[in-house]
Amino acid sequence: MTDRTETFAKVAAEIEPFNKKGISLTDATTFAGDLEWDSLTVMDFVAAVEDAFDITITMNMQAEIETVGQLVDAVEKLKA
């Protein structure tokens, strides 16, 4: 398993408690459109991801991240 695949799996595990509709996740899954998250859910989720990976996601980065794949790529960069 590649590092990115492991990161995707870990991100997916963090999404699970917030995935009320049971959406099947891909790199193209959007947080606002597909998962229908509001800003409070996003903030709770970002905090969970930051804790899980021991990273900090800036507000500027958050504004640019719209899909699960973009988040996985950002986490990969921040872990490096």
Side-chain angles (χ1 to χ4, degrees):
M1 210 186 305
T2 65
D3 282 348
R4 191 179 190 286
T5 303
E6 289 173 17
T7 301
F8 184 93
K10 200 166 176 182
V11 166
E14 292 299 324
I15 289 172
E16 196 56 40
F18 300 96
N19 189 356
K20 303 295 185 214
K21 297 176 75 182
I23 300 291
S24 148
L25 302 176
T26 68
D27 277 349
T29 303
T30 62
F31 296 106
D34 297 325
L35 296 171
E36 297 179 3
W37 288 0
D38 59 20
S39 57
L40 183 59
T41 302
V42 169
M43 295 305 289
D44 288 344
F45 171 69
V46 167
V49 169
E50 288 176 331
D51 288 347
F53 289 97
D54 195 27
I55 57 173
T56 300
I57 301 172
T58 66
M59 293 299 276
N60 287 344
M61 285 181 78
Q62 287 179 40
E64 295 173 7
I65 297 171
E66 297 178 4
T67 67
V68 173
Q70 289 173 331
L71 175 61
V72 170
D73 292 339
V75 168
E76 283 287 295
K77 268 191 227 159
L78 290 168
K79 285 191 329 182

